[in-house]
Each structure stands twice: as structure tokens, then as C-alpha cells.
Amino acid sequence: MKTIRQVNHERNCENGQVIVVEDDPAIRSGLEQLFESESYSVTAFASVTAFLVDQTLIAAAQQFPTVLICDVMFPEGSSLDTLSGRHLDFPVVFM
């Protein structure tokens, strides 16, 4: 099993890429600022649906994130239900 550091080294990035999926603009912005201050590349989405549309582009470019940080409750439903059964090639942290 590879460590996150090994995966990041293979991807030629120092700290890696974080994807944040959060519908609350203040929380989303705070998470972006937090990870960017630690030299992570951050991509943020306001909904799970927007992330899933973009995930196709991520997979095509083979630029998988180090981690996905995802809110659980959204106006359109639970991200646990939406992401359930999907094969994601990176760790997911639900909050």
C-alpha cells in the first residue's frame, strides 16, 4: 500500500490536490483557504452533482486528488447516497 506522500511524489506535486464539496459558501471558502495555506491545490464544488460532472474530466486527465472532503447533507439529498456504489480512486472524508 502506498502512502499519500508516495502518491503525491508520483504525481509530481508537493502536497497534492484536495477537492472540497460543500454547499455553504463560508465553510467552502474556509476549507479552500486552509488547504491552500498548506500548499495544496484545491478545487471546490457547491454540490455533489457538480463534482460528479467534473469527475469525468478528472478521470480523463488522470489527475486524481489526494482526498475528497465532502459535506453529507445537500439540498438535493445525502452525498452518502449519491456517492454510494461509485468507485472512486481516492479517499473520501465525509463531514
Side-chain angles (χ1 to χ4, degrees):
M1 177 179 231
K2 294 180 183 178
T3 66
I4 289 176
R5 185 176 300 277
Q6 289 169 321
V7 171
N8 289 340
H9 179 72
E10 289 173 4
R11 294 179 188 160
N12 295 318
C13 55
E14 187 171 326
N15 286 334
Q17 179 186 15
V18 174
I19 293 181
V20 174
V21 183
E22 170 59 61
D23 57 333
D24 183 304
I27 295 172
R28 188 174 57 246
S29 176
L31 288 169
E32 284 181 272
Q33 291 174 12
L34 171 70
F35 287 109
E36 286 172 348
S37 73
E38 295 295 327
S39 300
Y40 285 89
S41 171
V42 179
T43 304
F45 297 93
S47 73
V48 176
T49 305
F51 161 70
L52 290 175
V53 168
D54 199 63
Q55 185 190 8
T56 305
L57 301 174
I58 291 168
Q62 301 249 334
Q63 294 179 346
F64 299 107
T66 303
V67 66
L68 167 66
I69 309 290
C70 191
D71 189 9
V72 173
M73 294 306 301
F74 288 88
E76 67 261 26
S78 167
S79 62
L80 294 171
D81 294 337
T82 305
L83 296 176
S84 168
R86 295 189 182 269
H87 176 73
L88 299 175
D89 292 321
F90 42 85
V92 179
V93 176
F94 291 99
M95 56 178 194

